[in-house]
Amino acid sequence: MADQSIGQRVLRKEDARFIAGKGRYTDDINLRGQAYACFVRSTVARAGIASLDLTAAESVEGVIAVLTGRQIAEDGLGTLPCGWMIHSKDGNPMKQPAHPVMAADSVNYLGEPIALVVAETYQIARDAADLVVVDYDEKQAVSDVTLAQAHDQLYEEVPRNTVYEWELGDREATMAAIEGAHHVTRIKIRNNRLIPNAIEPRAAIADFNPATEDLTLYVTSQNPHLVRLILTAFIQLAPEHKLRVVAPDVGGGFGSKIFVYSEETALSWASRRLGMAIKWTAERSESFLADAHGRDHYTEAALAMDDEGHFLGLHVKTQANMGAYLSTFASSVPTYLYGTLLAGQYKTPAIYVEVDAVLTNTAPVDAYRGAGRPEATYVLERIVDVAAGEMNLSPVEIRRRNFITNFPYATPVALEYDTGDYVQTLDRVLELAEWSSFEARKAESESRGKLRGIGLSCYIEACGLAPSQVAGALGAGVGLWESGEIRFNPTGSVTVLTGTHSHGQGHETTFAQLVSDRLGVPINDIEVVHGDTSRLDFGLGTYGSRSIAVGGSALATASDKIVEKGRKIAAHLMDTSPEEVDFEGGVYTARQSNLNKTIQEIAFAAYVPHNYPEGLEPGLAEKAFYDPDNFTFPAGAYVCEVEIDPQTGVVTIARFSAVDDFGNIINPMIVEGQVHGGLAQGIGQALLENCVYDSNGQLVTGSYFDYCMPRADDLPSFQVDLEVTPCTHNPLGVKGCGEAGAIGSPPAVINAVANALGVRDFDMPATPEKVWRAAAGS
């Protein structure tokens, strides 16, 4: 049998069913007698609802009910909460408007749900939804993040449309550094708004059983336990023990499926109200309108340096667009997931960051692959590149002069990096990218009338949000630990239960590898179960590249418990003491004899305890909870090389090299796949993707006709490699890899584009028109 231990390129177990079309996604599930739902959505961005006429819709044959936001309010349901309390620099808690499940009296963004049509078929529901007549008292909307604070107030409880004015770092020291610096580089920069576009649109089926009053919700979620918690504790749809949430196979999430949305909440309420199962699957146009968007920052930054280019201070001032309401984790993204990363890989002694979070008449904005880390990296790596030019230093040299080299390292923005080797990572990517021979490639491009540029980016991210006590003190509404359980069956096969959720990451393989490596059970005898609140007590899902660092560590701890219990059973069976029993490769061996027992034999003895240690409980199953001591800190260096046709403005990624340090690696093949996916998304943001609202809050980029996604022919064959500095504070030495590619790649691309064009300032996305104008000097 091929080696399937940690560190091996084991093929993904789950792919067999996906490739054969045997995956079980939410839309694949159909329940007997189910009805179908279609939402009536606002066609304007900001308005009072003067009246709502349901008569025509209710009269359509096959319509079961037309339900409204006002009925939800009358039933006493709560509003959708934001799970992270942020305090402004004056100490006051953030200001947030109530986020209704469905709008009752006013609408505040295009696509906000107003009513829900339930019918015998989806087509009937859709046709009837078109017959609902809404009389709007329309008002002037605001969509631009830079105009929101001067716009008239959207909500009475949110003056200047400002949720909070947050700060982090030492203002006095930073301003003094800037004032006394030899040189200060200043930039103004936008981080473009993105629409997630997971391949599977959101979907849900709510099934209420009137006899037992049990409610089951099948939903496209990265975190089913969080959905259950919010729907029971905050929305108060049902007692927690009466609500089961199942997230089956999920076709991509990228953060957008962490959150609790209006649709699954309204569907669950409707199912309970009508006493029947109801199904809803979003059309792609709904996804554009109503899925939580990402990014959308405007930032001004200043970097102070001495005469040799050593960083002295960094001041960052950001306006962050939160959309019309605060989504589930929205408030944390431009604060503790952004400001804390502005040190990057550099030993800047003084940093001060200010963030104004503002409300606009746009879809809510929340975490999207990287969640704050890409925004921070983009600001930092762009200003470092600009500073290099102004100081007559190469992009490589200015970074080398400022790298952190001693660990642990406490940054000026509240983090402590435990380990890393940024010099080694940079050296390796320069070698991989053949940086030293770039000028020859540039000359060859110029001989063909093309422009060629090269860009560098050195990123760091914080993963596995933790520890819970610290996060709670900073405003988190939940703990950030993870749970895991390992159950041996009497015949020796194993069921692994994890509170994380897999939606493309390959957990069914990597977690099986982990358990196989620690317990010596063949990987094909291990089943990994996730995504069902009825199977595991509680879990906190998948986001922030936390699954292996936190969820995997919980399973490692549970494995250790299994080994120790098995040692006691083995010692009894071999007539020796537990201290005299060794365990390796799935076999317990008595040191003083040639006796041994496989772990499968121990499992059988545990469930058929005819000859069993006195006082020891039967069975072989263990559970563990793991709360990290610190974040993990993956880091890397990326080099992008572009070729530009100045006649058309088309940018071609000629080469892309990425070297990452993710700590110890469970499965290199899966890690490389995660990096490739992240790079594709980051390059998509840098060159193609851009969510645009007009001044009236209408979504201009509401379909793939106007919102450009990266395709295979937009991407090169990536050159990727790994360096390893193990994490020092979790049992696996792992760091997390799921978001890195999307964090480090956008500044590398834009640095390369700016280098090719010979310009100082250039904002994403580098569309052909923008590039053509810059190349033409217009």
Side-chain angles (χ1 to χ4, degrees), residues 228-537:
R228 184 178 69 169
L229 177 65
I230 289 178
L231 293 185
T232 56
F234 295 92
I235 308 297
Q236 299 184 335
L237 267 173
E240 192 167 7
H241 67 285
K242 288 292 186 180
L243 175 60
R244 176 191 178 198
V245 178
V246 181
D249 290 327
V250 173
F254 315 116
S256 69
K257 292 173 183 172
I258 301 171
F259 324 121
V260 177
Y261 286 93
S262 294
E263 289 84 1
E264 60 260 28
T265 307
L267 206 71
S268 299
W269 165 75
S271 175
R272 186 181 184 94
R273 183 183 180 98
L274 301 176
M276 63 194 320
I278 308 173
K279 181 177 184 177
W280 167 78
T281 300
E283 297 185 8
R284 185 59 67 178
S285 59
E286 289 182 281
S287 299
F288 273 85
L289 290 170
D291 285 6
H293 294 173
R295 317 292 192 244
D296 204 350
H297 284 192
Y298 172 76
T299 295
E300 297 184 5
L303 178 62
M305 291 163 284
D306 67 13
D307 58 355
E308 294 184 338
H310 297 116
F311 303 160
L312 304 175
L314 175 67
H315 178 217
V316 175
K317 171 71 174 180
T318 294
Q319 291 172 292
N321 194 342
M322 311 305 285
Y325 303 104
L326 294 186
S327 178
T328 311
F329 291 117
S331 57
S332 66
V333 175
T335 52
Y336 292 111
L337 300 181
Y338 168 70
T340 55
L341 273 299
L342 284 166
Q345 297 186 8
Y346 311 114
K347 51 190 177 188
T348 312
I351 300 175
Y352 178 63
V353 55
E354 302 172 89
V355 178
D356 290 355
V358 300
L359 297 173
T360 61
N361 297 115
T362 61
V365 177
D366 209 319
Y368 175 68
R369 197 169 191 169
R373 283 74 55 88
E375 295 92 318
T377 300
Y378 187 66
V379 171
L380 189 58
E381 290 303 290
R382 283 294 293 131
I383 200 169
V384 167
D385 239 47
V386 173
E390 294 179 352
M391 294 294 293
N392 294 315
L393 293 171
S394 76
V396 173
E397 181 56 30
I398 197 170
R399 288 172 169 85
R400 286 195 192 280
R401 292 187 185 188
N402 289 283
F403 274 155
I404 298 162
T405 54
N406 296 315
F407 297 89
Y409 177 82
T411 76
V413 278
L415 297 181
E416 183 174 279
Y417 304 164
D418 62 327
T419 185
D421 190 340
Y422 308 144
V423 173
Q424 177 63 29
T425 304
L426 176 61
D427 287 345
R428 179 65 185 118
V429 82
L430 295 178
E431 177 187 5
L432 199 63
E434 298 179 280
W435 181 280
S436 61
S437 58
F438 167 72
E439 291 300 327
R441 295 191 296 277
K442 181 178 181 180
E444 192 280 328
S445 293
E446 289 174 348
S447 73
R448 294 182 285 106
K450 303 294 177 66
L451 305 175
R452 199 174 189 100
I454 195 165
L456 173 63
S457 168
C458 296
Y459 78 90
I460 192 166
E461 60 168 323
C463 299
L465 311 179
S468 294
Q469 187 173 1
V470 172
L474 298 177
V478 294
L480 295 169
W481 47 265
E482 194 48 80
S483 65
E485 185 174 356
I486 298 174
R487 300 175 186 169
F488 266 87
N489 300 309
T491 55
S493 61
V494 174
T495 300
V496 173
L497 299 105
T498 174
T500 67
H501 187 277
S502 181
H503 36 278
Q505 294 90 342
H507 293 177
E508 293 175 37
T509 304
T510 51
F511 285 168
Q513 268 185 274
L514 166 61
V515 173
S516 174
D517 186 82
R518 296 182 87 89
L519 297 181
V521 178
I523 194 170
N524 289 331
D525 288 345
I526 300 171
E527 178 191 23
V528 177
V529 176
H530 60 89
D532 188 341
T533 61
S534 70
R535 298 290 299 272
L536 187 72
D537 293 345

Side-chain angles (χ1 to χ4, degrees), residues 616-698:
L616 191 65
E617 291 181 353
L620 194 58
E622 293 290 348
K623 186 183 299 183
F625 292 78
Y626 180 77
D627 197 350
D629 294 331
N630 192 2
F631 291 90
T632 65
F633 297 100
Y638 292 174
V639 173
C640 177
E641 201 167 314
V642 301
E643 188 174 77
I644 296 174
D645 185 342
Q647 300 301 312
T648 63
V650 172
V651 178
T652 300
I653 307 289
R655 300 161 67 104
F656 201 106
S657 305
V659 177
D660 298 281
D661 177 3
F662 299 133
N664 292 332
I665 303 298
I666 305 296
N667 186 317
M669 182 190 71
I670 287 178
V671 167
E672 289 169 13
Q674 288 289 299
V675 172
H676 284 199
L679 292 176
Q681 284 184 281
I683 291 169
Q685 176 176 14
L687 295 183
L688 305 167
E689 297 183 54
N690 192 28
C691 173
V692 177
Y693 285 90
D694 69 16
S695 60
N696 294 314
Q698 291 292 319

Side-chain angles (χ1 to χ4, degrees), residues 146-160:
T146 65
L147 303 177
Q149 290 176 299
H151 194 271
D152 63 283
Q153 207 161 303
L154 303 183
Y155 305 96
E156 183 179 347
E157 62 270 38
V158 189
R160 297 179 60 242

